[in-house]
Amino acid sequence: MFSMMVRGSVAVVAVCLATACGPSTAHPTDRSAGETIPATARATGSAPATKPASPAVPATGGPGYSATLSARLLTMDSLPPGFTVQIATVMARDAGNAGDRRADSGCSEHMIPLLSASRLTGTPSAMAAATLSRDGNPDNSWLWVGTEIIRTYADDGARRAMTDLRTFVGRCPTVASGPGGGSYRFALAPGPGLGDDSLRVSSSSTSGADTLTFDSILVRTGTALIVVKEQGNNPGDDKLLAQVAEAALRRYQATGS
């Protein structure tokens, strides 16, 4: 039941992702991006089906939004068939400096956004984000949902954010969740060897006999950080994560000036 409820909510997030609905960053279905521009609708009726076009990059958005950086996000053409892309126009706030009260607090639920890489320390000069989703089966019995976030920094913030993340996970590998005995677990592993530095954050949420994973891959390239985060999959359903992270880095590098 826990798995069905969370995966159902993730499917809704893929359609109407909005920070204005509340940045629920302490849960697997964390929303790190705001209002989204949906992909062009698929052909209906008797017309032949065609691959939908990637959404146009909005010219303006909320605070922190960068149209230039959003143009470097993954597109449908840069992903395998079956993916849709929704570009965010409202950016969720990061956690601030490493001295932020939440970063210095104990291993409580307040730390979950930092431990899971949903938020990072430091202040990016610009951010861009999109929700990625892919139907696994024709009957929609399996849906992969993820988020790509690009952060650029005017200084050494990308390196410091990864250093802080390693420190936090080393300090808080387990966080209790509520009075029901649930818990979040976090672990670090070397990334897939991308960019100047890469890191995989293995995250899971357990309630009773049910476990969901929401792993992330972070790739630092120069003064930028690319984060690809899956949203609420069953264990073993993260086969696409590394593939999408590699595609995200290729896209970012190919669109640079």
Side-chain angles (χ1 to χ4, degrees):
M1 180 63 70
F2 171 76
S3 174
M4 292 176 63
M5 290 176 62
V6 173
R7 291 173 70 82
S9 66
V10 166
V12 172
V13 168
V15 177
C16 64
L17 189 66
T19 299
C21 297
S24 160
T25 52
H27 299 282
T29 51
D30 169 54
R31 290 167 308 267
S32 296
E35 296 178 8
T36 57
I37 305 300
T40 303
R42 302 177 190 274
T44 58
S46 58
T50 59
K51 183 176 180 179
S54 289
V57 176
T60 60
Y65 173 77
S66 167
T68 300
L69 195 58
S70 294
R72 305 182 71 175
L73 291 163
L74 283 164
T75 63
M76 293 181 191
D77 290 338
S78 60
L79 287 164
F83 273 93
T84 58
V85 178
Q86 296 174 299
I87 299 175
T89 57
V90 177
M91 302 295 106
R93 187 178 70 87
D94 264 8
N97 296 323
D100 185 278
R101 178 178 57 83
R102 289 171 298 173
D104 282 346
S105 62
C107 300
S108 67
E109 287 189 280
H110 294 291
M111 284 289 290
I112 290 174
L114 287 164
L115 295 167
S116 65
S118 298
R119 293 187 180 181
L120 299 172
T121 57
T123 304
S125 57
M127 291 179 64
T131 297
L132 317 169
S133 60
R134 185 188 187 192
D135 291 340
N137 296 312
D139 61 0
N140 294 327
S141 61
W142 181 77
L143 175 70
W144 188 90
V145 179
T147 305
E148 179 193 8
I149 307 171
I150 303 176
R151 297 170 169 90
T152 56
Y153 298 82
D155 52 17
D156 201 31
R159 189 189 304 272
R160 291 198 304 269
M162 293 191 73
T163 298
D164 290 340
L165 178 60
R166 288 181 167 104
T167 299
F168 296 150
V169 174
R171 194 177 78 201
C172 299
T174 304
V175 175
S177 175
S183 64
Y184 291 86
R185 296 182 182 275
F186 305 92
L188 300 178
L194 300 172
D196 300 315
D197 186 16
S198 59
L199 177 68
R200 180 170 184 138
V201 182
S202 297
S203 309
S204 64
S205 174
T206 301
S207 177
D210 292 313
T211 299
L212 290 179
T213 64
F214 46 111
D215 291 3
S216 302
I217 289 179
L218 293 84
V219 180
R220 181 177 64 81
T221 175
T223 58
L225 265 182
I226 301 170
V227 181
V228 176
K229 179 181 177 64
E230 66 173 3
Q231 305 280 1
N233 287 321
N234 289 321
D237 281 351
D238 57 359
K239 308 175 191 67
L240 291 175
L241 187 61
Q243 182 181 359
V244 173
E246 291 171 8
L249 178 61
R250 287 196 302 269
R251 169 73 180 171
Y252 182 82
Q253 293 173 330
T255 53
S257 57

